[in-house]
Amino acid sequence: MNILQNFFILILNPIYTITKKIPEKIKETLITVCFIYLFLMQIFINSNFFIWDGISFTSQAFLGCIFLFFIIIMSINKKLELLNNFRVLPTLWMTFGVIIIIVSFIHPVGEGFRALALTVLIAFPCLYFVWGNRGDYNKLFELITKAIAFVGGMYFIFCILTVPFETAVTHAGRYAGTANNPNFLGMICSIVLCASLYLIINETKYIWLYYAVCGLSLMFSILSVSRTSILSILITTIFFIIFYFKVNIVNNKKKLILNMITIILIFISFSILGLSINKSISNLSTEYTTNKTNDSTKKLIKNKNVTKTNAFDRLKIEDKDLNTISSGRLTIWKYYLKHINLIGNKVIKTVYVKDLNLKVYGAHNTPLDIAYRTGVINGVVWLIIEIFTGLKALIFVFGKKYKEPYYLFMSMSIIIFCVYSMLEIAIFPFKSQPVLLFYLAISPLFFKKDI
C-alpha cells in the first residue's frame, strides 16, 4: 500500500496548496453537504418517487466517487506524509479488490463489480489515508452523523407529509414511505438511529433534535416491520447502553442518569406511537385492499372478503420451518453453497434457483454471494473482514481503555453492517446506507496506532 500512499501524496499535496486557503469551517460545511448528497442519493435510488430508480451500480459508483473525491480534498489540513500500514485489515481489503478484478477478466461477475473493486482499491483507501494523516476521527464521524441525522429527519418528515400511513396496506401492512420496499425504510432507520445516538453523547447543541430524530427512526422501523432493522437496532441500542455506562459511570453519574431516562422515555413513547399506528393500519386492511388501475398504479379499494392480517405476524416463529422464517433464504443459501468453486460462476444479472423456480439477484448473504461470483477464496477473505471488524466492535464496546465516542460509532456501524450482510447483499457502498456507513466507520482500522 506504500505505492498507493506515494500516489496519493503526488496527487493531493499540490491540491492542498490551493485548498489550504479555504477556512476550515467552510471545508467542514462542504464535506457535510457532500455526505448529505451521498445519503440522499441512496434514498433516490431506492425510491419509487424519483427518476433515479434503476440507475446502474457502475453509475452509482461513478457519481459517488466524484463526491467522495471532493470530500477527500476538503479533508486535507496539512501536507500528507507516509503512514505505517502493516495491518491485517488493509491486506485483506486489497486482496478482496484485486481478486474481483482478476476474476472479472475470466468470466462476468455481475454489473458494477469492477467499479466496486476500483472503489475498494483506490477511492476509500485515499479517504482513509487523508484522515489517517489528520487523526481526528471524532471530527470525521461528527460530520458524517450530522449529515445522516439531517437527511433522516427531513426524510421522515417528508414521508409523513406526502405518503399516508394507510399506503402500508399495499405491503401487507408494512409501511414503506417513499421506498420501493419496507426493508429499505428499515435500513434507513437503523443508520439514522446509530447517528443520533452518537450525536447525543458527543454533542450538546441541538441535542433535543437528535432525541427527536432518534425517536422517529425507532417509530418508522416499527412501521416497516423489517426484521433485519429491528434486530440491528436492538443490538445497536445494547452496545450504546454498555458503552455509555462504561464512559460515564464514574465521573458523570448525573449526566448518565438524566440522558438514560430521556432515551428510555423517547424509546417508550415512539414505540407506543408506532405500534398504535400499526394497529390502525391492521384494522384498515380488513376493509381495504389494493387494485391496479389501467395506468398500473395501485389504489385502495373496498373489499368485503379480506382476511384480517397483521404485519407483525411475520415476526412469529410458531408453526414455521427455518426456510419460512428466513423468507426462503435457506433454500437460496443451499443452492449457492452447492455451486461454490475456486474461480466463481458466470453471473450476468440474476441467478435461477431451481428449487424455488425463481430468479434472484444474489444470495441474500454477502460472503456467500461473493464466493459464488468471484470464488471461494474471496468469499473467505470477505468473511474474515467481517469477523475481524466484528471482533473489533466487541472490543471497543467492552474494552475499558476505549472511551472516545468514535469507538462507539465504529462499533454500532460495524454491527449494523454485519447484521445486514448476513441477510442481504451488502457490498455496494453507494447503493446501501449500512454499507457506506461501514466503509466510512472502519477508517481508523487502516492507519491509527494502538487500536
Side-chain angles (χ1 to χ4, degrees), residues 17-36:
T17 61
I18 300 171
T19 59
K20 69 180 181 181
K21 300 172 184 177
I22 304 173
E24 283 300 312
K25 284 292 182 183
I26 294 178
K27 284 184 180 181
E28 290 176 9
T29 301
L30 292 172
I31 292 170
T32 304
V33 169
C34 288
F35 280 127
I36 287 173

Side-chain angles (χ1 to χ4, degrees), residues 24-75:
E24 283 300 312
K25 284 292 182 183
I26 294 178
K27 284 184 180 181
E28 290 176 9
T29 301
L30 292 172
I31 292 170
T32 304
V33 169
C34 288
F35 280 127
I36 287 173
Y37 167 81
L38 288 176
F39 289 107
L40 272 177
M41 182 178 77
Q42 294 169 331
I43 290 177
F44 293 157
I45 289 168
N46 292 278
S47 174
N48 289 322
F49 275 50
F50 304 99
I51 60 172
W52 284 17
D53 183 29
I55 188 172
S56 70
F57 294 128
T58 301
S59 298
Q60 292 170 28
F62 177 75
L63 289 170
C65 284
I66 289 174
F67 281 85
L68 193 65
F69 178 72
F70 196 74
I71 290 169
I72 289 167
I73 63 175
M74 288 295 111
S75 298

Side-chain angles (χ1 to χ4, degrees), residues 63 90 121 146-147 150 159 173 242 244 286 308-309 368 372 394 420 423:
L63 289 170
L121 291 172
K146 284 183 176 179
F150 175 80
C159 286
I242 294 171
Y244 200 54
T286 67
K308 183 173 181 178
T309 59
L368 187 56
Y372 180 86
L394 292 173
Y420 276 97
L423 299 169

Side-chain angles (χ1 to χ4, degrees), residues 34-243:
C34 288
F35 280 127
I36 287 173
Y37 167 81
L38 288 176
F39 289 107
L40 272 177
M41 182 178 77
Q42 294 169 331
I43 290 177
F44 293 157
I45 289 168
N46 292 278
S47 174
N48 289 322
F49 275 50
F50 304 99
I51 60 172
W52 284 17
D53 183 29
I55 188 172
S56 70
F57 294 128
T58 301
S59 298
Q60 292 170 28
F62 177 75
L63 289 170
C65 284
I66 289 174
F67 281 85
L68 193 65
F69 178 72
F70 196 74
I71 290 169
I72 289 167
I73 63 175
M74 288 295 111
S75 298
I76 307 169
N77 67 348
K78 64 179 181 179
K79 188 177 179 180
L80 300 174
E81 299 175 351
L82 286 173
L83 300 172
N84 181 8
N85 65 292
F86 294 102
R87 306 176 69 87
V88 174
L89 187 56
T91 303
L92 293 169
W93 192 260
M94 292 297 168
T95 302
F96 169 70
V98 169
I99 291 177
I100 291 178
I101 293 290
I102 293 172
V103 174
S104 70
F105 283 103
I106 299 174
H107 62 76
V109 295
E111 194 274 321
F113 273 84
R114 282 185 185 173
L116 168 68
L118 294 175
T119 303
V120 166
L121 291 172
I122 299 174
F124 280 96
C126 186
L127 180 74
Y128 303 154
F129 176 63
V130 169
W131 281 92
N133 268 269
R134 287 187 56 143
D136 52 342
Y137 292 106
N138 267 327
K139 174 57 67 176
L140 171 63
F141 296 155
E142 175 193 326
L143 300 177
I144 293 169
T145 50
K146 284 183 176 179
I148 294 172
F150 175 80
V151 170
M154 292 298 101
Y155 178 69
F156 295 147
I157 293 172
F158 180 80
C159 286
I160 291 171
L161 295 176
T162 63
V163 187
F165 293 122
E166 289 84 354
T167 58
V169 300
T170 65
H171 293 284
R174 300 174 63 198
Y175 183 72
T178 68
N180 49 28
N181 189 311
N183 289 332
F184 180 74
L185 176 62
M187 190 184 297
I188 295 173
C189 294
S190 61
I191 72 152
V192 173
L193 184 131
C194 168
S196 301
L197 290 176
Y198 172 79
L199 289 168
I200 285 170
I201 71 167
N202 200 44
E203 291 286 314
T204 54
K205 196 175 182 181
Y206 306 124
I207 191 170
W208 62 273
L209 279 175
Y210 304 133
Y211 279 124
V213 172
C214 183
L216 284 171
S217 63
L218 181 64
M219 184 190 81
F220 276 94
S221 176
I222 291 171
L223 291 175
S224 73
V225 200
S226 168
R227 292 173 295 186
T228 309
S229 169
I230 293 170
L231 177 61
S232 63
I233 284 177
L234 178 63
I235 300 174
T236 298
T237 305
I238 293 171
F239 274 24
F240 171 80
I241 293 171
I242 294 171
F243 189 90

